[in-house]
Amino acid sequence: VMVPFIMNFLIAMSITKRIKRNESAKAWFAAHSKLFIFLVIITGGCYPSVQLCSSNAFGSTMFSSGLTRHELREMAQVLILFNVVLENLPQIVCQIAYAAIIGDMTTAIIFATVASAISVLSAMISHCVHRRLADAEIIGYYLVLQCERVKLTQMNGMDSLEDGDHGSVSQSQITKAERLSIERNRGRRRTLSKKMAEIFGVAPSFVNIGSSQMTSRGLIMFMTHSVFASDLDLLQQKEIGRTGGVSPKAFIENLYLVVSKQMNVLFRRHFELSSDFSVSCHFALSMRERIMSEHTVTPMRVRIMSERVISNSDIDVVQEQ
């Protein structure tokens, strides 16, 4: 009993090393390490504690580590088999040995042995099923929901702008009402992922939303997406038509390029926001991209950004009609 308990405790202490790309989840476990260790001690298992901390129960940040189902599934393959080898199989051996010593298979021994055998069988079946899905590559990326309102400041008049002077374009921060709207709906991750899967035309389990981080201009969400080899082959033949292979990242980029308008409408409706907001896909976010709110631009850049906001509003009006 003590060996699997100690090993689960040691794994819990190094849980952040098992999380690969999800930086927000790493930060969550670092900030809530005492809670996580306490749950491991109470439950006696690391994986059940990870599941509870990632359940998003009651919409509370205390139970919202930001790990996606894909990440939990990858972690489960190691932790569950680990418990099977160190806990369930030794229990079966001890139960059979005890029955042999006393010379009788009591009702308690039968029930305990059957329960342990079912646990081992369930873990092995789950492992085999997920191994058959190994041809799917899990791609992690970020969706950035941000406000596109622009404010033109430090202008000396149109004449001076046309002569080459620069103006400053400040992309507005979200209002208090917009922040409350995002906060109110950010916990509805499963609903949003199902609607995204409908747009992509895939099963809901292929698209997972993990952690989300509020910014002064909107929201940053971490996503995982299952991409199969057959999807890449189909894109190569029908969309790109080239002889070279298609990378999973190229598949995701092409996918969001095709459904960008639908994504904007979906996110605006889900978070109850106006057409001032848009969604973009990123495979990595630098610190500058996370916090940048002001840009010094030329008058041509000012006109382009203004036209972009206007065109987005026109698109929304057409789609709503």
Side-chain angles (χ1 to χ4, degrees), residues 70 133-141 202 206-207 224-233 235 246-253 255 283:
H70 288 146
L133 299 177
D135 60 331
E137 185 170 349
I138 309 301
I139 303 299
Y141 56 91
V202 298
F206 289 4
V207 181
T224 56
H225 198 127
S226 297
V227 180
F228 289 84
S230 57
D231 296 327
L232 301 180
D233 294 338
L235 176 63
V246 178
S247 68
K249 287 186 177 182
F251 174 84
I252 297 295
E253 289 175 345
L255 183 64
F283 291 102

PDB file of all heavy atoms in Angstrom, residues 70 133-141 202 206-207 224-233 235 246-253 255 283:
ATOM      1  N   HIS A  70      -6.915  16.204 -24.178  1.00  0.00           N
ATOM      2  CA  HIS A  70      -5.788  15.552 -24.853  1.00  0.00           C
ATOM      3  C   HIS A  70      -4.609  15.389 -23.899  1.00  0.00           C
ATOM      4  O   HIS A  70      -3.986  14.313 -23.831  1.00  0.00           O
ATOM      5  CB  HIS A  70      -5.346  16.385 -26.066  1.00  0.00           C
ATOM      6  CG  HIS A  70      -6.313  16.333 -27.198  1.00  0.00           C
ATOM      7  ND1 HIS A  70      -6.530  17.401 -28.036  1.00  0.00           N
ATOM      8  CD2 HIS A  70      -7.129  15.347 -27.634  1.00  0.00           C
ATOM      9  CE1 HIS A  70      -7.428  17.069 -28.945  1.00  0.00           C
ATOM     10  NE2 HIS A  70      -7.813  15.840 -28.723  1.00  0.00           N
ATOM     11  N   LEU A 133      -5.284   5.217 -31.674  1.00  0.00           N
ATOM     12  CA  LEU A 133      -5.458   6.596 -32.130  1.00  0.00           C
ATOM     13  C   LEU A 133      -4.130   7.336 -32.196  1.00  0.00           C
ATOM     14  O   LEU A 133      -4.100   8.557 -32.304  1.00  0.00           O
ATOM     15  CB  LEU A 133      -6.407   7.335 -31.180  1.00  0.00           C
ATOM     16  CG  LEU A 133      -7.828   6.766 -31.074  1.00  0.00           C
ATOM     17  CD1 LEU A 133      -8.616   7.550 -30.037  1.00  0.00           C
ATOM     18  CD2 LEU A 133      -8.530   6.799 -32.416  1.00  0.00           C
ATOM     19  N   ALA A 134      -3.038   6.591 -32.139  1.00  0.00           N
ATOM     20  CA  ALA A 134      -1.726   7.228 -32.091  1.00  0.00           C
ATOM     21  C   ALA A 134      -1.341   7.910 -33.397  1.00  0.00           C
ATOM     22  O   ALA A 134      -0.400   8.704 -33.433  1.00  0.00           O
ATOM     23  CB  ALA A 134      -0.648   6.188 -31.729  1.00  0.00           C
ATOM     24  N   ASP A 135      -2.043   7.581 -34.507  1.00  0.00           N
ATOM     25  CA  ASP A 135      -1.707   8.218 -35.773  1.00  0.00           C
ATOM     26  C   ASP A 135      -2.175   9.667 -35.820  1.00  0.00           C
ATOM     27  O   ASP A 135      -1.821  10.405 -36.735  1.00  0.00           O
ATOM     28  CB  ASP A 135      -2.307   7.446 -36.942  1.00  0.00           C
ATOM     29  CG  ASP A 135      -3.825   7.362 -36.870  1.00  0.00           C
ATOM     30  OD1 ASP A 135      -4.353   7.382 -35.745  1.00  0.00           O
ATOM     31  OD2 ASP A 135      -4.464   7.292 -37.931  1.00  0.00           O
ATOM     32  N   ALA A 136      -2.974  10.083 -34.831  1.00  0.00           N
ATOM     33  CA  ALA A 136      -3.414  11.478 -34.758  1.00  0.00           C
ATOM     34  C   ALA A 136      -2.365  12.293 -34.013  1.00  0.00           C
ATOM     35  O   ALA A 136      -1.964  11.945 -32.906  1.00  0.00           O
ATOM     36  CB  ALA A 136      -4.759  11.579 -34.052  1.00  0.00           C
ATOM     37  N   GLU A 137      -1.935  13.366 -34.636  1.00  0.00           N
ATOM     38  CA  GLU A 137      -0.963  14.247 -33.994  1.00  0.00           C
ATOM     39  C   GLU A 137      -1.696  15.380 -33.299  1.00  0.00           C
ATOM     40  O   GLU A 137      -2.598  16.006 -33.862  1.00  0.00           O
ATOM     41  CB  GLU A 137       0.010  14.814 -35.031  1.00  0.00           C
ATOM     42  CG  GLU A 137       1.120  15.645 -34.410  1.00  0.00           C
ATOM     43  CD  GLU A 137       2.205  15.996 -35.412  1.00  0.00           C
ATOM     44  OE1 GLU A 137       2.194  15.427 -36.519  1.00  0.00           O
ATOM     45  OE2 GLU A 137       3.060  16.842 -35.083  1.00  0.00           O
ATOM     46  N   ILE A 138      -1.323  15.630 -32.049  1.00  0.00           N
ATOM     47  CA  ILE A 138      -1.966  16.664 -31.250  1.00  0.00           C
ATOM     48  C   ILE A 138      -1.189  17.966 -31.426  1.00  0.00           C
ATOM     49  O   ILE A 138      -0.012  18.043 -31.092  1.00  0.00           O
ATOM     50  CB  ILE A 138      -2.025  16.283 -29.758  1.00  0.00           C
ATOM     51  CG1 ILE A 138      -2.629  14.889 -29.589  1.00  0.00           C
ATOM     52  CG2 ILE A 138      -2.809  17.320 -28.984  1.00  0.00           C
ATOM     53  CD1 ILE A 138      -4.014  14.746 -30.151  1.00  0.00           C
ATOM     54  N   ILE A 139      -1.859  18.978 -31.969  1.00  0.00           N
ATOM     55  CA  ILE A 139      -1.239  20.280 -32.217  1.00  0.00           C
ATOM     56  C   ILE A 139      -1.768  21.283 -31.194  1.00  0.00           C
ATOM     57  O   ILE A 139      -2.975  21.422 -31.007  1.00  0.00           O
ATOM     58  CB  ILE A 139      -1.547  20.789 -33.640  1.00  0.00           C
ATOM     59  CG1 ILE A 139      -1.078  19.769 -34.667  1.00  0.00           C
ATOM     60  CG2 ILE A 139      -0.878  22.131 -33.889  1.00  0.00           C
ATOM     61  CD1 ILE A 139       0.409  19.499 -34.636  1.00  0.00           C
ATOM     62  N   GLY A 140      -0.864  21.945 -30.519  1.00  0.00           N
ATOM     63  CA  GLY A 140      -1.242  22.987 -29.576  1.00  0.00           C
ATOM     64  C   GLY A 140      -1.040  24.367 -30.178  1.00  0.00           C
ATOM     65  O   GLY A 140      -0.043  24.610 -30.872  1.00  0.00           O
ATOM     66  N   TYR A 141      -1.986  25.255 -29.950  1.00  0.00           N
ATOM     67  CA  TYR A 141      -1.871  26.621 -30.468  1.00  0.00           C
ATOM     68  C   TYR A 141      -2.712  27.549 -29.598  1.00  0.00           C
ATOM     69  O   TYR A 141      -3.411  27.100 -28.669  1.00  0.00           O
ATOM     70  CB  TYR A 141      -2.317  26.695 -31.934  1.00  0.00           C
ATOM     71  CG  TYR A 141      -3.710  26.183 -32.205  1.00  0.00           C
ATOM     72  CD1 TYR A 141      -4.823  27.030 -32.170  1.00  0.00           C
ATOM     73  CD2 TYR A 141      -3.923  24.838 -32.505  1.00  0.00           C
ATOM     74  CE1 TYR A 141      -6.095  26.560 -32.427  1.00  0.00           C
ATOM     75  CE2 TYR A 141      -5.194  24.353 -32.758  1.00  0.00           C
ATOM     76  CZ  TYR A 141      -6.274  25.220 -32.722  1.00  0.00           C
ATOM     77  OH  TYR A 141      -7.542  24.738 -32.966  1.00  0.00           O
ATOM     78  N   VAL A 202     -15.845  18.052 -37.366  1.00  0.00           N
ATOM     79  CA  VAL A 202     -15.160  16.925 -36.728  1.00  0.00           C
ATOM     80  C   VAL A 202     -15.880  16.584 -35.424  1.00  0.00           C
ATOM     81  O   VAL A 202     -16.772  17.299 -34.971  1.00  0.00           O
ATOM     82  CB  VAL A 202     -13.681  17.260 -36.439  1.00  0.00           C
ATOM     83  CG1 VAL A 202     -12.936  17.541 -37.740  1.00  0.00           C
ATOM     84  CG2 VAL A 202     -13.561  18.447 -35.483  1.00  0.00           C
ATOM     85  N   PHE A 206     -12.106  16.011 -30.825  1.00  0.00           N
ATOM     86  CA  PHE A 206     -10.916  16.402 -31.573  1.00  0.00           C
ATOM     87  C   PHE A 206     -10.450  17.813 -31.228  1.00  0.00           C
ATOM     88  O   PHE A 206      -9.311  18.173 -31.518  1.00  0.00           O
ATOM     89  CB  PHE A 206     -11.179  16.324 -33.078  1.00  0.00           C
ATOM     90  CG  PHE A 206     -11.293  14.918 -33.605  1.00  0.00           C
ATOM     91  CD1 PHE A 206     -11.256  13.830 -32.752  1.00  0.00           C
ATOM     92  CD2 PHE A 206     -11.456  14.677 -34.958  1.00  0.00           C
ATOM     93  CE1 PHE A 206     -11.364  12.538 -33.229  1.00  0.00           C
ATOM     94  CE2 PHE A 206     -11.555  13.389 -35.449  1.00  0.00           C
ATOM     95  CZ  PHE A 206     -11.517  12.316 -34.574  1.00  0.00           C
ATOM     96  N   VAL A 207     -11.336  18.618 -30.654  1.00  0.00           N
ATOM     97  CA  VAL A 207     -11.023  20.018 -30.350  1.00  0.00           C
ATOM     98  C   VAL A 207     -11.172  20.234 -28.855  1.00  0.00           C
ATOM     99  O   VAL A 207     -12.238  19.947 -28.288  1.00  0.00           O
ATOM    100  CB  VAL A 207     -11.950  20.985 -31.111  1.00  0.00           C
ATOM    101  CG1 VAL A 207     -11.581  22.433 -30.800  1.00  0.00           C
ATOM    102  CG2 VAL A 207     -11.879  20.726 -32.609  1.00  0.00           C
ATOM    103  N   THR A 224      -5.919  22.558 -28.126  1.00  0.00           N
ATOM    104  CA  THR A 224      -5.289  21.386 -28.730  1.00  0.00           C
ATOM    105  C   THR A 224      -6.237  20.829 -29.781  1.00  0.00           C
ATOM    106  O   THR A 224      -7.462  20.863 -29.606  1.00  0.00           O
ATOM    107  CB  THR A 224      -4.966  20.299 -27.692  1.00  0.00           C
ATOM    108  OG1 THR A 224      -6.152  19.926 -26.987  1.00  0.00           O
ATOM    109  CG2 THR A 224      -3.917  20.792 -26.708  1.00  0.00           C
ATOM    110  N   HIS A 225      -5.662  20.307 -30.863  1.00  0.00           N
ATOM    111  CA  HIS A 225      -6.439  19.883 -32.021  1.00  0.00           C
ATOM    112  C   HIS A 225      -5.835  18.587 -32.557  1.00  0.00           C
ATOM    113  O   HIS A 225      -4.630  18.519 -32.799  1.00  0.00           O
ATOM    114  CB  HIS A 225      -6.387  20.973 -33.099  1.00  0.00           C
ATOM    115  CG  HIS A 225      -7.459  20.858 -34.125  1.00  0.00           C
ATOM    116  ND1 HIS A 225      -8.306  21.900 -34.453  1.00  0.00           N
ATOM    117  CD2 HIS A 225      -7.841  19.824 -34.908  1.00  0.00           C
ATOM    118  CE1 HIS A 225      -9.137  21.509 -35.399  1.00  0.00           C
ATOM    119  NE2 HIS A 225      -8.867  20.254 -35.692  1.00  0.00           N
ATOM    120  N   SER A 226      -6.673  17.564 -32.740  1.00  0.00           N
ATOM    121  CA  SER A 226      -6.212  16.290 -33.297  1.00  0.00           C
ATOM    122  C   SER A 226      -6.202  16.369 -34.815  1.00  0.00           C
ATOM    123  O   SER A 226      -7.231  16.668 -35.431  1.00  0.00           O
ATOM    124  CB  SER A 226      -7.128  15.145 -32.850  1.00  0.00           C
ATOM    125  OG  SER A 226      -7.098  14.983 -31.458  1.00  0.00           O
ATOM    126  N   VAL A 227      -5.052  16.081 -35.407  1.00  0.00           N
ATOM    127  CA  VAL A 227      -4.902  16.098 -36.856  1.00  0.00           C
ATOM    128  C   VAL A 227      -4.461  14.709 -37.307  1.00  0.00           C
ATOM    129  O   VAL A 227      -3.414  14.214 -36.871  1.00  0.00           O
ATOM    130  CB  VAL A 227      -3.874  17.157 -37.306  1.00  0.00           C
ATOM    131  CG1 VAL A 227      -3.732  17.144 -38.830  1.00  0.00           C
ATOM    132  CG2 VAL A 227      -4.278  18.539 -36.814  1.00  0.00           C
ATOM    133  N   PHE A 228      -5.242  14.096 -38.170  1.00  0.00           N
ATOM    134  CA  PHE A 228      -4.938  12.753 -38.660  1.00  0.00           C
ATOM    135  C   PHE A 228      -4.196  12.819 -39.990  1.00  0.00           C
ATOM    136  O   PHE A 228      -4.315  13.795 -40.732  1.00  0.00           O
ATOM    137  CB  PHE A 228      -6.224  11.940 -38.816  1.00  0.00           C
ATOM    138  CG  PHE A 228      -6.866  11.554 -37.515  1.00  0.00           C
ATOM    139  CD1 PHE A 228      -7.712  12.447 -36.864  1.00  0.00           C
ATOM    140  CD2 PHE A 228      -6.620  10.325 -36.940  1.00  0.00           C
ATOM    141  CE1 PHE A 228      -8.303  12.099 -35.664  1.00  0.00           C
ATOM    142  CE2 PHE A 228      -7.217   9.968 -35.743  1.00  0.00           C
ATOM    143  CZ  PHE A 228      -8.053  10.858 -35.107  1.00  0.00           C
ATOM    144  N   ALA A 229      -3.471  11.742 -40.279  1.00  0.00           N
ATOM    145  CA  ALA A 229      -2.712  11.675 -41.526  1.00  0.00           C
ATOM    146  C   ALA A 229      -3.630  11.760 -42.738  1.00  0.00           C
ATOM    147  O   ALA A 229      -3.273  12.343 -43.766  1.00  0.00           O
ATOM    148  CB  ALA A 229      -1.896  10.373 -41.569  1.00  0.00           C
ATOM    149  N   SER A 230      -4.838  11.200 -42.636  1.00  0.00           N
ATOM    150  CA  SER A 230      -5.792  11.250 -43.750  1.00  0.00           C
ATOM    151  C   SER A 230      -6.212  12.692 -44.039  1.00  0.00           C
ATOM    152  O   SER A 230      -6.434  13.058 -45.200  1.00  0.00           O
ATOM    153  CB  SER A 230      -7.017  10.398 -43.427  1.00  0.00           C
ATOM    154  OG  SER A 230      -7.635  10.829 -42.221  1.00  0.00           O
ATOM    155  N   ASP A 231      -6.320  13.521 -42.994  1.00  0.00           N
ATOM    156  CA  ASP A 231      -6.658  14.936 -43.193  1.00  0.00           C
ATOM    157  C   ASP A 231      -5.559  15.653 -43.962  1.00  0.00           C
ATOM    158  O   ASP A 231      -5.831  16.482 -44.838  1.00  0.00           O
ATOM    159  CB  ASP A 231      -6.882  15.627 -41.849  1.00  0.00           C
ATOM    160  CG  ASP A 231      -8.069  15.052 -41.091  1.00  0.00           C
ATOM    161  OD1 ASP A 231      -9.027  14.637 -41.767  1.00  0.00           O
ATOM    162  OD2 ASP A 231      -8.024  15.020 -39.856  1.00  0.00           O
ATOM    163  N   LEU A 232      -4.317  15.343 -43.639  1.00  0.00           N
ATOM    164  CA  LEU A 232      -3.186  15.978 -44.317  1.00  0.00           C
ATOM    165  C   LEU A 232      -3.132  15.556 -45.784  1.00  0.00           C
ATOM    166  O   LEU A 232      -2.855  16.380 -46.661  1.00  0.00           O
ATOM    167  CB  LEU A 232      -1.877  15.612 -43.611  1.00  0.00           C
ATOM    168  CG  LEU A 232      -1.775  16.001 -42.124  1.00  0.00           C
ATOM    169  CD1 LEU A 232      -0.422  15.587 -41.562  1.00  0.00           C
ATOM    170  CD2 LEU A 232      -1.999  17.494 -41.934  1.00  0.00           C
ATOM    171  N   ASP A 233      -3.390  14.269 -46.040  1.00  0.00           N
ATOM    172  CA  ASP A 233      -3.378  13.788 -47.427  1.00  0.00           C
ATOM    173  C   ASP A 233      -4.485  14.445 -48.244  1.00  0.00           C
ATOM    174  O   ASP A 233      -4.281  14.827 -49.408  1.00  0.00           O
ATOM    175  CB  ASP A 233      -3.547  12.271 -47.453  1.00  0.00           C
ATOM    176  CG  ASP A 233      -2.368  11.541 -46.826  1.00  0.00           C
ATOM    177  OD1 ASP A 233      -1.280  12.156 -46.757  1.00  0.00           O
ATOM    178  OD2 ASP A 233      -2.539  10.391 -46.388  1.00  0.00           O
ATOM    179  N   LEU A 235      -5.894  17.391 -47.700  1.00  0.00           N
ATOM    180  CA  LEU A 235      -5.549  18.787 -47.938  1.00  0.00           C
ATOM    181  C   LEU A 235      -4.506  18.913 -49.035  1.00  0.00           C
ATOM    182  O   LEU A 235      -4.580  19.800 -49.887  1.00  0.00           O
ATOM    183  CB  LEU A 235      -5.028  19.427 -46.640  1.00  0.00           C
ATOM    184  CG  LEU A 235      -4.546  20.867 -46.751  1.00  0.00           C
ATOM    185  CD1 LEU A 235      -5.694  21.790 -47.156  1.00  0.00           C
ATOM    186  CD2 LEU A 235      -3.933  21.335 -45.445  1.00  0.00           C
ATOM    187  N   VAL A 246       2.331  17.921 -46.322  1.00  0.00           N
ATOM    188  CA  VAL A 246       1.682  19.025 -45.621  1.00  0.00           C
ATOM    189  C   VAL A 246       1.877  18.821 -44.122  1.00  0.00           C
ATOM    190  O   VAL A 246       1.547  17.757 -43.590  1.00  0.00           O
ATOM    191  CB  VAL A 246       0.183  19.090 -45.959  1.00  0.00           C
ATOM    192  CG1 VAL A 246      -0.485  20.222 -45.185  1.00  0.00           C
ATOM    193  CG2 VAL A 246      -0.019  19.268 -47.447  1.00  0.00           C
ATOM    194  N   SER A 247       2.380  19.814 -43.441  1.00  0.00           N
ATOM    195  CA  SER A 247       2.596  19.708 -42.008  1.00  0.00           C
ATOM    196  C   SER A 247       1.287  19.947 -41.264  1.00  0.00           C
ATOM    197  O   SER A 247       0.385  20.612 -41.774  1.00  0.00           O
ATOM    198  CB  SER A 247       3.646  20.717 -41.554  1.00  0.00           C
ATOM    199  OG  SER A 247       3.137  22.042 -41.676  1.00  0.00           O
ATOM    200  N   PRO A 248       1.162  19.405 -40.046  1.00  0.00           N
ATOM    201  CA  PRO A 248      -0.052  19.659 -39.255  1.00  0.00           C
ATOM    202  C   PRO A 248      -0.290  21.143 -39.003  1.00  0.00           C
ATOM    203  O   PRO A 248      -1.431  21.597 -38.974  1.00  0.00           O
ATOM    204  CB  PRO A 248       0.226  18.907 -37.949  1.00  0.00           C
ATOM    205  CG  PRO A 248       1.184  17.821 -38.337  1.00  0.00           C
ATOM    206  CD  PRO A 248       2.038  18.424 -39.404  1.00  0.00           C
ATOM    207  N   LYS A 249       0.782  21.913 -38.821  1.00  0.00           N
ATOM    208  CA  LYS A 249       0.628  23.353 -38.610  1.00  0.00           C
ATOM    209  C   LYS A 249       0.046  24.027 -39.851  1.00  0.00           C
ATOM    210  O   LYS A 249      -0.799  24.920 -39.738  1.00  0.00           O
ATOM    211  CB  LYS A 249       1.967  23.982 -38.241  1.00  0.00           C
ATOM    212  CG  LYS A 249       2.435  23.661 -36.831  1.00  0.00           C
ATOM    213  CD  LYS A 249       3.687  24.436 -36.478  1.00  0.00           C
ATOM    214  CE  LYS A 249       4.098  24.166 -35.037  1.00  0.00           C
ATOM    215  NZ  LYS A 249       5.293  24.940 -34.641  1.00  0.00           N
ATOM    216  N   ALA A 250       0.496  23.587 -41.031  1.00  0.00           N
ATOM    217  CA  ALA A 250      -0.063  24.139 -42.268  1.00  0.00           C
ATOM    218  C   ALA A 250      -1.540  23.790 -42.390  1.00  0.00           C
ATOM    219  O   ALA A 250      -2.338  24.592 -42.894  1.00  0.00           O
ATOM    220  CB  ALA A 250       0.712  23.605 -43.468  1.00  0.00           C
ATOM    221  N   PHE A 251      -1.909  22.603 -41.927  1.00  0.00           N
ATOM    222  CA  PHE A 251      -3.320  22.196 -41.952  1.00  0.00           C
ATOM    223  C   PHE A 251      -4.155  23.114 -41.060  1.00  0.00           C
ATOM    224  O   PHE A 251      -5.240  23.566 -41.448  1.00  0.00           O
ATOM    225  CB  PHE A 251      -3.441  20.745 -41.487  1.00  0.00           C
ATOM    226  CG  PHE A 251      -4.857  20.272 -41.345  1.00  0.00           C
ATOM    227  CD1 PHE A 251      -5.562  19.807 -42.439  1.00  0.00           C
ATOM    228  CD2 PHE A 251      -5.488  20.293 -40.101  1.00  0.00           C
ATOM    229  CE1 PHE A 251      -6.879  19.365 -42.309  1.00  0.00           C
ATOM    230  CE2 PHE A 251      -6.797  19.866 -39.968  1.00  0.00           C
ATOM    231  CZ  PHE A 251      -7.491  19.396 -41.071  1.00  0.00           C
ATOM    232  N   ILE A 252      -3.664  23.410 -39.851  1.00  0.00           N
ATOM    233  CA  ILE A 252      -4.389  24.281 -38.927  1.00  0.00           C
ATOM    234  C   ILE A 252      -4.496  25.692 -39.490  1.00  0.00           C
ATOM    235  O   ILE A 252      -5.563  26.334 -39.427  1.00  0.00           O
ATOM    236  CB  ILE A 252      -3.702  24.306 -37.550  1.00  0.00           C
ATOM    237  CG1 ILE A 252      -3.726  22.915 -36.908  1.00  0.00           C
ATOM    238  CG2 ILE A 252      -4.361  25.325 -36.631  1.00  0.00           C
ATOM    239  CD1 ILE A 252      -5.102  22.417 -36.571  1.00  0.00           C
ATOM    240  N   GLU A 253      -3.401  26.200 -40.058  1.00  0.00           N
ATOM    241  CA  GLU A 253      -3.421  27.536 -40.649  1.00  0.00           C
ATOM    242  C   GLU A 253      -4.446  27.630 -41.769  1.00  0.00           C
ATOM    243  O   GLU A 253      -5.210  28.600 -41.858  1.00  0.00           O
ATOM    244  CB  GLU A 253      -2.027  27.888 -41.165  1.00  0.00           C
ATOM    245  CG  GLU A 253      -1.009  28.150 -40.067  1.00  0.00           C
ATOM    246  CD  GLU A 253       0.384  28.383 -40.615  1.00  0.00           C
ATOM    247  OE1 GLU A 253       0.606  28.057 -41.819  1.00  0.00           O
ATOM    248  OE2 GLU A 253       1.253  28.871 -39.877  1.00  0.00           O
ATOM    249  N   LEU A 255      -7.052  25.703 -42.173  1.00  0.00           N
ATOM    250  CA  LEU A 255      -8.375  25.520 -41.599  1.00  0.00           C
ATOM    251  C   LEU A 255      -8.937  26.836 -41.073  1.00  0.00           C
ATOM    252  O   LEU A 255     -10.084  27.200 -41.357  1.00  0.00           O
ATOM    253  CB  LEU A 255      -8.313  24.484 -40.483  1.00  0.00           C
ATOM    254  CG  LEU A 255      -9.621  24.105 -39.810  1.00  0.00           C
ATOM    255  CD1 LEU A 255     -10.561  23.438 -40.809  1.00  0.00           C
ATOM    256  CD2 LEU A 255      -9.363  23.177 -38.622  1.00  0.00           C
ATOM    257  N   PHE A 283       0.714  29.974 -33.173  1.00  0.00           N
ATOM    258  CA  PHE A 283       1.373  28.785 -32.639  1.00  0.00           C
ATOM    259  C   PHE A 283       2.333  29.135 -31.508  1.00  0.00           C
ATOM    260  O   PHE A 283       2.725  28.273 -30.736  1.00  0.00           O
ATOM    261  CB  PHE A 283       2.116  28.037 -33.750  1.00  0.00           C
ATOM    262  CG  PHE A 283       1.194  27.404 -34.746  1.00  0.00           C
ATOM    263  CD1 PHE A 283       0.973  27.991 -35.973  1.00  0.00           C
ATOM    264  CD2 PHE A 283       0.515  26.240 -34.442  1.00  0.00           C
ATOM    265  CE1 PHE A 283       0.108  27.429 -36.893  1.00  0.00           C
ATOM    266  CE2 PHE A 283      -0.354  25.659 -35.342  1.00  0.00           C
ATOM    267  CZ  PHE A 283      -0.560  26.256 -36.579  1.00  0.00           C
TER     268      PHE A 283
END
